[in-house]
Amino acid sequence: MTRARETAEIISRYIPGVEKVSCDLLREGAPIQPVPPISHWKPEAVYHEDGARIEAAFRRYIHRAEAKQEKDSYEIIVCHANVIRYIVCRALQFPPEGWLRMCLNNGSITWLTIRPNGRVSLRTLGDSGFMPPDKLTRS
């Protein structure tokens, strides 16, 4: 999670006073075997180990606000693309096996909105328009 930590440090310079928390559940991994299978992509990770951890991250961080909350709240989660893609699939109630069908640039922004009634919308997925084209990369 070195790159994610470095990115969080950079972001925190522009949003002072926000608590930073490192969470091992958000480490990169292979959340679930993709469908359709990708023959050229064979993760070193074991799906059942990474998948359980990444699912736990989803359950910890992606939920509606408590009923007593009166104002909007925002959480910035800095992690790797596999985790983001899986979380997006789960949050939108899409088949999570489709996570590898999406492509995200490194450092891109994905924004999910979770309303008090539990309705979820994807405001943006993998937005990297703020970066110069020569700086765009993906893994």
Side-chain angles (χ1 to χ4, degrees):
M1 284 189 46
T2 302
R3 285 181 298 151
R5 284 191 188 107
E6 290 170 348
T7 302
E9 286 297 324
I10 293 167
I11 292 169
S12 70
R13 289 185 215 142
Y14 297 93
I15 309 174
V18 174
E19 179 186 10
K20 290 182 296 193
V21 177
S22 183
C23 179
D24 202 45
L25 296 176
L26 294 168
R27 275 186 299 111
E28 182 71 313
I32 189 170
Q33 188 156 0
V35 175
I38 308 293
S39 61
H40 66 277
W41 188 77
K42 303 216 186 277
E44 296 172 12
V46 180
Y47 291 113
H48 67 276
E49 291 175 8
D50 287 350
R53 176 179 46 76
I54 295 169
E55 175 65 20
F58 170 78
R59 291 172 185 247
R60 176 179 287 181
Y61 293 108
I62 309 301
H63 54 81
R64 65 180 83 174
E66 294 182 26
K68 64 183 179 187
Q69 182 173 322
E70 295 179 4
K71 296 180 181 179
D72 288 349
S73 62
Y74 301 88
E75 291 188 31
I76 299 171
I77 300 172
V78 181
C79 58
H80 292 279
N82 289 356
V83 177
I84 294 166
R85 292 185 285 229
Y86 178 80
I87 285 174
V88 166
C89 286
R90 289 281 287 116
L92 296 175
Q93 299 179 347
F94 292 166
E97 296 84 2
W99 66 275
L100 203 50
R101 297 179 193 181
M102 297 176 248
C103 185
L104 302 176
N105 287 326
N106 294 325
S108 64
I109 296 172
T110 296
W111 181 356
L112 285 168
T113 298
I114 306 171
R115 292 180 176 72
N117 65 4
R119 188 175 193 171
V120 176
S121 33
L122 181 61
R123 305 276 307 257
T124 187
L125 175 70
D127 182 3
S128 55
F130 60 92
M131 288 189 256
D134 65 323
K135 300 294 182 193
L136 295 176
T137 61
R138 60 179 174 264
S139 302

